[in-house]
Structures are given as C-alpha cells and as structure tokens.
C-alpha cells in the first residue's frame, strides 16, 4: 500500500542454552571440552587396569588351582549323575571322590615306589648300559658311516658324565632349594586341588542356580539349558581324555614289559601323563620312550617305535573317534587350531582346556547365534 512503511526484519532473540538460528538454519551448539577431566579419568582408568592386572598376576597360582579343580569337578559330575539314578547325590559324591582318593593314594604308595625303585636300578646300571650301547653294532656302523665328523663315543661319554653329576642336575632344576620348593609346591597344590574339587563337586548345582539368578527370568530357562550343555561337554571331554590316557598307559606297560624295555612302569606312567595332552601328547611320549629304549638295545627301540606307530594309528582312527565323538563334537581343524593356540597361551594347561573351550564355543554358536540369525527373515 502507498504510504506504508517497510518493516525491517525483526532480530531473533535466543534464550540462553537454546540453539542459535542463523538464516532459518539450526546451528550446532558449541561443545566445551575439559581436557583436564578427560586426562584425569583416563589416567585413573589406566591405573585401575594396571592394578587389576597386578592382582591377577599375583593370584595366578590360585586361579590355576581353581580352574583345574573346576575342570575336574565337571569331569567327575557325569559319574556322580550316573550314580545318582541309583542312590542319593551325597552318597554318589562320596563314592566318586573316595575312588579318586584311592587312585591318587595308589599312585603315591604303589606305583611311585615302583617307579623310584626302577629309576634307582636304572641309575646304577646306566654306565654299563651306555658302555654296551657305544660298543653295539649299531653305533659302530653309524660311526663308520659318518667318519670323523662326529665322535659318537666321546659325545655319549660326555653326556653320561654330565648326567651322573648331581650338581649339574640340580643346576638344571635351579638348585637344590628350587627343586625341593618345586616338589613341596606340587604336593601342596595337589592337596588344594583335591579339596577344591570336592567342594565344587558338592556345590556344583548350587553354583549353577546362583549363576542363573543373574539372567533375566524370561531368558533363564534357555540359559540354563545352554549352561548344562556346555558343562556336560566339558565333563565328557575330561572323562574321554582320561580314558584314552589310561588305555595308552596300560597297553604301554604290557608291551614294554614283554619286550624287556627298561623302566616299564615309569615309561607307562610317562605315556599316561603325555596322553593327557591333546594332539601332540601321545607322539611326544612315544618319542621319549623310544629314545631311552635305544640305550638298552636298538632292537628294543625299534620294537617300541613300531608299536607306538601302530598304536597312534589305532588311537587316531579307532579309539579317539569312538570315545571323543561321544564327548565333544569338534571338527578336526578346530581341534588342531585350539590345541596350538591353547598351548601357546597357557602351555600344557592351556592345551588341556582349549578343546573343551572350543566345544563350548561351538555349542553357543549353534544354540544362540544361529537361531538369532535364522529368525531375521
């Protein structure tokens, strides 16, 4: 209209704390960064992580005892559950644990004195065994083949002199105090593990029920089913691995006694312990036994080598599939990867627990991850 005054655009007034508008567009509010607060909180987090790591390192031995005891308790639980069908659970636990104590006591009072006696006899006869070995046709023929490149006789004599010196053996073990401390720690640790195993075995169901309470009620049933499957797989694996080791130990004792190998009881015990290590245990025990049998007689070593070569094939293609497939269904490639990774991270103990951990992960993937992915249609 004529005579009307044009109006100037009104300035937009913003309230404190509101977003500033320019040209009708909302601008991003300014963010104030308190560098001191962020640095302080980050530093405290690093210090807390270092403190927790130090505590875990200081308690590493205790944590190993707890882990081994829980592992054994899960392994004995299937036997307890089987006996529980015929009697009270408390009585079943007493029977199973009494059997474990009897086996442990039998090893201490029957097998170990026999092993010590055989080891003592072997030590007294060791110089004569070495002398016969160096004069055997096998060493003589080998020496003639390699010529003066290596003096086998001198090398064997030097090794014998080194092993016969107790100071050298103690030096290898870290000294007399270290050897004695290691033996005492081993005995103490075994007793602690047995006591913890009894407590875990008696309160295993209570521990599971308490764990279930941390899960929401609407997911508690599925979590309980998954936990039972995982713990059952671990228990069956322990039983299966001990069964394989026992078979190897018994057959080794019989065969080594037949062929006249030195220290058959000691070597059978070595075969049993080595077979507890998955993947490489049986092979490692076979190599050690065969090499020591070489000092007694090349023919004895050859017989032992052929026997263990045949046994490893029987174990791999007949015994292990029938025993372990009922325990844990883990693909062969996963077994190899888990055993190598566990051995790298945790030595022998890591290799022992790697396969049941892999089996547990497979169960979790099959029962949790796959159903969730299949439901996304």
């Amino acid at each position: 209209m004529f005579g009307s005054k044009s109006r100037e655009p009104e300035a937009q007034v913003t309230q404190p704390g509101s977003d500033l508008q320019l040209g009708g567009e909302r601008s991003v509010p300014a963010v104030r960064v308190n560098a001191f607060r962020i640095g302080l909180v980050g530093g405290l987090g690093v210090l807390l992580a270092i403190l927790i790591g130090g505590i875990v390192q200081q308690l590493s031995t205790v944590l190993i005892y707890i882990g081994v005891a829980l592992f054994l308790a899960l392994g004995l639980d299937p036997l307890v559950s089987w006996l529980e069908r015929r009697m009270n659970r408390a009585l079943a636990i007493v029977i199973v644990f009494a059997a474990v104590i009897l086996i442990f006591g039998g090893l201490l009072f029957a097998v170990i004195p026999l092993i010590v006696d055989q080891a003592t006899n072997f030590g007294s006869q060791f110089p004569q065994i070495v002398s016969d070995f160096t004069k055997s046709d096998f060493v003589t023929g080998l020496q003639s083949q390699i010529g003066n490149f290596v003096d086998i006789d001198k090398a064997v004599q030097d090794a014998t002199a080194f092993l016969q010196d107790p100071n050298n053996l103690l030096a290898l073990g870290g000294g007399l105090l270290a050897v004695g401390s290691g033996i005492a720690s081993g005995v103490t640790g075994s007793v602690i593990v047995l006591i913890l195993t009894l407590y875990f075995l008696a309160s295993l169901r209570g521990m599971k029920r308490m764990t279930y309470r941390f899960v929401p009620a609407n997911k508690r049933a599925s979590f309980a089913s998954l936990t039972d499957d995982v713990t059952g797989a671990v228990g069956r694996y322990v039983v299966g691995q001990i069964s394989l080791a026992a078979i190897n130990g018994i057959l080794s004792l019989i065969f080594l006694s037949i062929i006249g190998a030195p220290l058959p009881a000691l070597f059978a015990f070595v075969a049993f312990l080595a077979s507890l290590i998955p993947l490489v245990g049986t092979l490692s025990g076979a190599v050690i036994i065969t090499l020591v049998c070489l000092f007694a007689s090349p023919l004895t070593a050859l017989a032992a080598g052929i026997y263990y070569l045949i046994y490893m094939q029987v174990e791999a293609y007949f015994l292990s599939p029938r025993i372990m497939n009922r325990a844990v269904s883990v693909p062969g490639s996963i077994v190899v990867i888990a055993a190598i990774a566990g051995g790298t991270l945790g030595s022998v103990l890591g290799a022992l627990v790697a396969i049941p951990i892999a089996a547990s992960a497979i169960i979790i993937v099959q029962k949790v991850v796959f159903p969730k992915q299949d439901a996304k249609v």
Side-chain angles (χ1 to χ4, degrees):
M1 302 297 284
F2 294 102
S4 63
K5 296 181 179 180
S6 61
R7 293 184 179 182
E8 297 290 336
E10 296 180 358
Q12 296 180 352
V13 180
T14 59
Q15 297 295 328
S18 63
D19 295 339
L20 183 63
Q21 294 182 355
L22 294 175
E25 296 181 357
R26 185 180 298 272
S27 64
V28 179
V31 178
R32 297 181 60 185
V33 178
N34 193 330
F36 175 77
R37 181 182 300 174
I38 294 176
L40 178 62
V41 174
L44 291 177
V46 172
L47 291 177
L48 180 61
I50 294 175
L51 177 62
I52 294 174
I55 293 174
V56 171
Q57 184 177 6
Q58 293 293 326
L59 297 177
S60 59
T61 304
V62 178
L63 294 176
I64 289 175
Y65 290 161
I66 294 174
V68 173
L70 185 59
F71 200 65
L72 293 176
L74 292 175
L76 295 175
D77 187 63
L79 299 177
V80 174
S81 300
W82 181 75
L83 289 176
E84 193 178 0
R85 302 171 187 172
R86 298 162 176 80
M87 61 188 70
N88 191 1
R89 180 173 176 82
L91 182 58
I93 292 175
V94 170
I95 292 175
V96 171
F97 200 76
V100 172
I101 294 297
L102 288 177
I103 294 174
F104 185 75
L107 290 175
L108 288 178
F109 297 106
V111 178
I112 292 181
L114 179 61
I115 293 174
V116 172
D117 182 61
Q118 290 188 357
T120 303
N121 294 334
F122 181 75
S124 61
Q125 298 173 4
F126 187 69
Q128 184 63 37
I129 293 175
V130 172
S131 177
D132 295 339
F133 173 72
T134 55
K135 295 178 182 178
S136 63
D137 296 336
F138 173 76
V139 176
T140 304
L142 183 62
Q143 184 68 64
S144 63
Q145 293 292 329
I146 63 177
N148 296 326
F149 183 73
V150 176
D151 191 348
I152 299 178
D153 191 8
K154 186 177 183 304
V156 172
Q157 289 180 358
D158 292 341
T160 303
F162 179 84
L163 293 175
Q164 286 180 333
D165 189 354
N167 294 326
N168 293 331
L169 297 178
L170 291 177
L172 290 176
L176 181 61
L177 182 61
V179 173
S181 176
I183 295 174
S185 299
V187 174
T188 304
S190 300
V191 175
I192 293 174
V193 167
L194 285 176
I195 294 174
L196 287 176
T197 301
L198 177 60
Y199 282 127
F200 287 154
L201 193 59
S203 59
L204 191 59
R205 291 185 176 178
M207 293 167 59
K208 288 182 179 180
R209 286 194 296 267
M210 184 179 65
T211 305
Y212 299 157
R213 297 293 298 275
F214 289 96
V215 180
N218 59 344
K219 299 181 179 179
R220 196 168 294 167
S222 59
F223 179 79
S225 176
L226 179 64
T227 303
D228 290 339
D229 291 338
V230 170
T231 55
V234 174
R236 292 190 299 271
Y237 168 78
V238 174
V239 174
Q241 196 67 32
I242 293 177
S243 301
L244 287 175
I247 292 173
N248 190 12
I250 294 172
L251 293 180
S252 296
L253 177 61
I254 295 173
F255 183 79
L256 294 175
S257 300
I258 292 174
I259 65 175
L263 311 174
L266 176 60
F267 288 155
F269 189 64
V270 170
F272 170 77
L273 292 180
S275 295
L276 293 175
I277 304 173
L279 195 63
V280 296
T282 304
L283 177 61
S284 302
V287 170
I288 294 173
I289 295 171
T290 303
L291 289 177
V292 178
C293 287
L294 186 62
F295 286 96
S297 169
L299 186 60
T300 303
L302 179 62
I306 294 174
Y307 162 75
Y308 280 110
L309 184 62
I310 296 174
Y311 173 78
M312 284 188 289
Q313 304 305 313
V314 173
E315 181 184 81
Y317 294 103
F318 181 76
L319 295 177
S320 184
R322 282 162 175 74
I323 294 177
M324 297 306 294
N325 284 350
R326 297 179 181 179
V328 289
S329 298
V330 182
S333 59
I334 302 298
V335 171
V336 175
I337 295 172
I340 294 175
T344 303
L345 295 176
S347 186
V348 176
L349 184 60
L352 286 174
V353 302
I355 296 178
I357 290 177
S360 302
I362 290 175
I363 292 174
I364 293 173
V365 169
Q366 290 176 345
K367 294 202 170 186
V368 177
V369 178
F370 287 169
K372 287 185 176 181
Q373 298 299 322
D374 294 338
K376 296 178 181 180
V377 179

